[in-house]
């Protein structure tokens, strides 16, 4: 009798462990209705891969093929492309870095400016999302 109690306890622990592991690894599933039930399983697997589950169900005599598949999380948005430009003003004591930045912001939406020395010239260069 004592041995049966221990066995039941171990089996219960195993079931709880398996349930926890399955819930942690279970991904969110998505459904996609792909039309009538003709060749339902083949169409679902062709569209969503071999692990896709197909079912044909409906109401009022209209049966539709529904594919259930593992959702793929959307990828994070890529950073915006940065373009380079310039202004007609040069950086100087009268128009330092802050002035250049203001001019770029006025010329380009979301623009930022910085002074860049090239030889004897101190150019006001801009970067902006494009």
């Amino acid at each position: 009798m004592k041995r049966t109690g221990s066995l039941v306890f171990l089996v219960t622990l195993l079931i709880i462990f398996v349930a926890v592991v399955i819930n942690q690894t279970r991904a969110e599933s998505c459904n996609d209705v792909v039309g009538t039930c003709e060749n339902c399983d083949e169409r679902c697997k062709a569209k969503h891969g071999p692990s896709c589950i197909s079912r044909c169900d409906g109401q009022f005599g209209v049966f539709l093929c529904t594919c259930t598949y593992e959702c793929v999380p959307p990828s994070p948005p890529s950073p915006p492309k940065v373009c380079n430009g310039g202004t007609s003003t040069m950086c100087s004591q009268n128009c330092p870095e802050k002035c250049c930045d203001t001019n770029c912001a006025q010329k380009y939406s979301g623009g930022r400016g910085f002074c860049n020395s090239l030889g004897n010239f101190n150019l006001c260069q801009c970067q902006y999302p494009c």
Side-chain angles (χ1 to χ4, degrees):
M1 187 74 166
K2 190 173 187 178
R3 188 169 240 199
T4 305
S6 297
L7 184 60
V8 170
F9 176 73
L10 287 174
V11 170
T12 304
L13 280 179
L14 181 63
I15 291 171
I16 292 170
F17 174 76
V18 169
V20 168
V21 169
I22 288 173
N23 280 339
Q24 288 177 349
T25 59
R26 186 177 292 154
E28 189 173 332
S29 60
C30 292
N31 292 318
D32 182 17
V33 178
V34 294
T36 63
C37 290
E38 187 177 345
N39 300 320
C40 181
D41 191 54
E42 292 83 7
R43 288 188 297 149
C44 284
K45 290 190 180 349
K47 186 171 183 181
H48 297 290
S51 63
C52 179
I53 298 169
S54 62
R55 73 177 185 278
C56 188
D57 55 10
Q59 296 176 348
F60 310 113
V62 178
F63 290 91
L64 297 174
C65 176
T66 303
C67 310
T68 302
Y69 58 96
E70 187 177 314
C71 298
V72 177
S75 4
S78 56
K81 185 178 174 187
V82 176
C83 288
N84 295 306
T87 65
S88 57
T89 59
M90 300 286 273
C91 290
S92 65
Q93 287 181 341
N94 293 337
C95 185
E97 190 108 8
K98 201 166 203 168
C99 169
C100 173
D101 188 47
T102 301
N103 289 338
C104 288
Q106 290 172 349
K107 185 171 182 179
Y108 301 104
S109 176
R112 306 282 310 193
F114 60 95
C115 296
N116 190 12
S117 295
L118 289 172
N120 293 332
F121 300 100
N122 199 8
L123 304 173
C124 176
Q125 292 190 310
C126 305
Q127 290 186 328
Y128 58 94
C130 53

